[in-house]
Every structure is written in structure tokens, then in C-alpha cells.
Amino acid sequence: MTAEQSDQPDQHPVNALDDVVHQRVRLGILTVAHQARRVEFGFLRTALDLTAGNLSQHLSVLEKAGLVHIEKGYEGKRPRTWLTLTPAGDRALREEVAQLKRLIQQIEQGGSDAQA
Amino acid sequence: MTAEQSDQPDQHPVNALDDVVHQRVRLGILTVAHQARRVEFGFLRTALDLTAGNLSQHLSVLEKAGLVHIEKGYEGKRPRTWLTLTPAGDRALREEVAQLKRLIQQIEQGGSDAQA
DNA sequence: GCAGTCAGCTTTGCATTGCAAACTGATCCT
DNA sequence: AGGATCAGTTTGCAATGCAAAGCTGACTGC
């Protein structure tokens, strides 16, 4: 146990996860936005069971990070807010998934007691 | 308050995730603890690239939640802290993995599960 | 043997985050 | 017209997460 690769700061999957993306609610938002091309605020709100205030803030975090595009307009006379994933958002989500898969593999392989 | 059609409380995978387990660092701790039967504090610290203070607090969160058992003692004359997953911790980790898998599947299918 | 140093954590202090209640402004109902 | 409802945003506050400082005991030089 000699050669410590100190130039390898962190090889652990969790260190490759981005907190903006990994956060539970935002991961949900990105997932839904990935599945549907364009999502309504209200749909997200009920699909993820959030308060409007909570959702509103998570959206601005995602927008500020450049992961989603937010589009405000009207449906008839009612104001609406739609959400689309940006290319960066799509990449970020894929990256999250890739790291989660690595993590899951580690968990499922290396157990002292493993059972599916 | 309108008793709306909340008979479908939340079918979305992210709502089944436990924030105690899902948090990035703690997910890492649980993963490492799952792979090795018994982990040293110092090992976790370097493996996950954490400050001691940060690790210390995450461990007490996990302990308070009953997910890990913390054991203090000596190795030779040096004080050491070891960590083991409790059965509940193991179950919680498996549950997290199960939900993550559901989530990943949803993402990778990429279908348009549209709205109105 | 007692100052100084180091290993191994814990505690403290503070900035950020996340949540829901309160608010704004427009539309619908009667 | 006046109230109820929809669609979000802003505000206020509690909880979280982080690193720096602090604490405790062991070993080292003198």
C-alpha cells in the first residue's frame, strides 16, 4: 500500500455529480422536461407534487444554470409558462445518468451481502 | 382548499427518494459502506475528498437516521472511528437504487409522455 | 517531564438552499 | 360590480452544508 495516486483527486462517482442537477426536485423537473418536448408549469407542479413557489424557484435555478429555457406567453387569455431543456440541460442530465449508473454498478457488485 | 383529484398522490420516482439518502455526499458514504463491511473515517474522508468536519456531520445525520452504526475505538494507540451500515441503511440504499433505476428508465425511454 | 507538533476527529459560525405563506395581477362567475 | 379562481412571483424563515477553528490525546526533542 504504497503508491498513492495523489494526482487522482477523486475517482468516486458521487464527486462527479453536479448538485444543481442531482437535487431531488430538479432531477424530477429535468426528467419530465426530457420526456416531453415542452412542459407547462402547471403540469410540472402537479406531476411532481410541488407548491408553485417551490417550483418557481427551482426553475430559476435551472434557468440561471442554463439547463432549461423558460418561455412565457398566453394560452388564450391565460398566462402560461413553458419549459424546454436546452442542449446543455440535456447533456447535464445524460451526465447525471451516466454517473448514477456507475454508482449503481458499484453498489450492486461490491456487497458483503448482496441480494437482488 | 379544493380537494382536487389528489387520489394519485405522486407516481413520480423522485418523490419516492429520501433526501437523507439522496444527498450527494451521503449517497457516497452509504455506497462505500455498502461495498466494504466496515469503513474507517479517514478512508471515507480521502475516498470522497471531504473535510473532516463535513464528513463528521454527515455521519451524525446518517446515524441519527439509523442508517449507519458508528463505532469509536483505538487502533494501537490512535483513536479511530469506524462505520457500518445498519440493516435499515442497507434497505434504504437498495430503495434509493431501485428508484434511481426507475428514473433512469424513464429518461432513457425518452418517450413523449405528453400533457394536455 | 513538559513545550511543541501532529493525528483524528468535533464544534462553531456563516452562507446557501429549500420550503410554503403571502402577495400580485389577471380572468371567470353570477 | 364584487368575489372567487387561476398562474405565478416574492418574501420570510428554518434547515442544510461547508470549512475554519477548536479540542483531546499521543509521540518527539530536549
Side-chain angles (χ1 to χ4, degrees), chain A residues 68-112:
Chain A
V68 303
H69 175 67
I70 293 185
E71 196 184 339
K72 283 152 198 286
Y74 285 82
E75 182 155 279
K77 303 252 192 149
R78 297 258 171 207
R80 296 280 177 178
T81 299
W82 291 278
L83 177 81
T84 16
L85 270 190
T86 62
D90 202 67
R91 260 181 280 120
L93 185 59
R94 282 183 208 290
E95 179 59 20
E96 166 87 10
V97 167
Q99 298 305 331
L100 288 179
K101 281 181 173 176
R102 286 220 291 141
L103 193 74
I104 289 173
Q105 242 201 344
Q106 282 208 13
I107 293 170
E108 296 198 327
Q109 285 178 357
S112 14

Side-chain angles (χ1 to χ4, degrees), chain B residues 10 14 19 26 37 51 53 57 60 68 72 82 97-98 103-104:
Chain B
D10 51 63
V14 295
D19 285 322
R26 286 191 296 260
R37 192 179 62 70
T51 60
Q57 287 192 127
S60 53
V68 303
K72 284 151 198 285
W82 292 278
V97 168
L103 193 75
I104 289 173

Side-chain angles (χ1 to χ4, degrees), chain B residues 41 52 56-57 72 78 80-81:
Chain B
F41 186 101
S56 179
Q57 287 192 127
K72 284 151 198 285
R78 299 290 169 97
R80 297 279 178 180
T81 299

Side-chain angles (χ1 to χ4, degrees), chain A residues 22-64:
Chain A
H22 185 72
Q23 202 278 349
R24 199 176 56 80
V25 171
R26 287 190 296 261
L27 190 53
I29 295 171
L30 294 174
T31 299
V32 173
H34 175 83
Q35 292 180 277
R37 192 179 61 71
R38 191 155 164 277
V39 201
E40 285 183 8
F41 186 101
F43 178 77
L44 273 174
R45 173 162 157 41
T46 59
L48 298 176
D49 194 29
L50 300 170
T51 60
N54 193 357
L55 177 54
S56 179
Q57 289 193 122
H58 281 301
L59 290 189
S60 52
V61 169
L62 288 171
E63 188 181 30
K64 217 164 290 173

